[in-house]
Amino acid sequence: MSSTDIIPATQVHDATVIFIHGLGQSSSTWRADVIEPLAPSFPNVEWILPNAPKRPVTRNNGIERPSWFDIAHLPPHEDEFDQSAIRESISSVNQMIDAVVTAGLDSRRIILIGFSQGAALSLMASLSTPCSLGGVASLSGWIPHRFRQYLENQSEDRLPARILWCHGNADEDIPLSHGLDGVSFLKTSMKYSEPEKLQVNVYENLSHTINEEEIADLGDWLRKVLFNL
């Protein structure tokens, strides 16, 4: 993994959010547009923003771009699965989680958030990690089909307590149908049938990006998770 940006808590640190960017991105844009506007409302939260290493990306004719794993198509095909890089990236996320827990924080006070490919990684990591997290938020994400077999025997007490799934209905890169397929998997196979455990927000006319409404909803959801509202 490349460099990691950290925004420390301004008061007593009692929660950590790990935000994972998308393909070809870096943490800097998300820090400026999303994290820094949200951070003042969460003075007890430490924000960790890892940057992906550069890898050859098949969809971009092998050009190296910041990427958590290789991808050949957008929308992703069901049989796509860069097993080696996905395993490596999940391991990196687990190392960050372990470091926070070792420093004394309860794992249930750790939240993963990701956009697009970062959302896919956040979902895969949070659903398979050995410890239960407070929650995971997917912004325009998906759950790779070939990863789902690894989740069949995951104990319920190791799953994240809450999931937020946000998706635009005009997204052409990761269509809403991919998102709703992931939601269906969570409901039927991972037992996220209760609305308080799985919140799904669909945004009209939103393409593969975020908007102010989604940022506001993310902040409201974080309050619910961290303050037990």
Side-chain angles (χ1 to χ4, degrees):
M1 183 176 294
S2 299
S3 63
T4 298
D5 291 338
I6 298 178
I7 302 176
T10 56
Q11 296 182 13
V12 177
H13 172 214
D14 70 3
T16 291
V17 173
I18 301 172
F19 190 102
I20 303 177
H21 67 72
L23 172 67
Q25 300 178 340
S26 72
S27 65
S28 59
T29 299
W30 293 102
R31 175 171 182 157
D33 294 347
V34 178
I35 307 305
E36 290 180 348
L38 283 177
S41 298
F42 300 93
N44 298 94
V45 172
E46 169 194 52
W47 304 81
I48 299 177
L49 292 79
N51 286 286
K54 287 188 175 181
R55 308 176 190 271
V57 178
T58 300
R59 182 177 183 271
N60 299 114
N61 299 314
I63 296 173
E64 289 193 348
R65 303 182 69 196
S67 178
W68 300 109
F69 50 88
D70 189 26
I71 190 165
H73 306 91
L74 284 178
H77 290 186
E78 288 190 8
D79 61 349
E80 287 196 41
F81 193 64
D82 182 4
Q83 184 174 12
S84 176
I86 286 174
R87 183 188 298 117
E88 177 186 326
S89 294
I90 290 176
S91 176
S92 294
V93 174
N94 280 329
Q95 288 174 20
M96 286 185 280
I97 293 170
D98 288 345
V100 174
V101 172
T102 299
L105 196 67
D106 189 319
S107 66
R108 290 169 294 185
R109 301 292 293 170
I110 300 174
I111 312 294
L112 294 188
I113 304 174
F115 174 79
S116 190
Q117 191 188 61
L121 175 56
S122 295
L123 289 160
M124 290 188 288
S126 65
L127 293 169
S128 63
T129 186
C131 54
S132 176
L133 303 183
V136 56
S138 168
L139 313 179
S140 305
W142 78 101
I143 303 175
H145 278 260
R146 288 179 56 189
F147 185 78
R148 301 180 190 189
Q149 61 184 305
Y150 298 108
L151 302 175
E152 292 178 353
N153 298 317
Q154 179 71 317
S155 173
E156 285 191 39
D157 62 3
R158 293 185 177 181
L159 295 175
R162 299 197 192 193
I163 297 177
L164 172 66
W165 198 297
C166 296
H167 224 110
N169 68 357
D171 193 333
E172 295 183 356
D173 289 344
I174 310 295
L176 178 59
S177 59
H178 280 56
L180 295 180
D181 174 74
V183 168
S184 177
F185 170 76
L186 291 172
K187 289 181 177 179
T188 58
S189 299
M190 307 302 290
K191 310 306 181 186
Y192 280 92
S193 56
E194 302 171 12
E196 62 269 23
K197 293 185 66 175
L198 175 59
Q199 177 180 332
V200 180
N201 295 351
V202 177
Y203 301 91
E204 291 293 323
N205 302 316
L206 182 66
S207 59
H208 196 60
T209 183
I210 61 170
N211 58 18
E212 292 184 1
E213 180 184 3
E214 188 172 356
I215 295 172
D217 288 346
L218 177 61
D220 290 342
W221 177 80
L222 279 173
R223 291 182 188 90
K224 292 177 184 178
V225 175
L226 297 177
F227 304 144
N228 295 314
L229 298 177

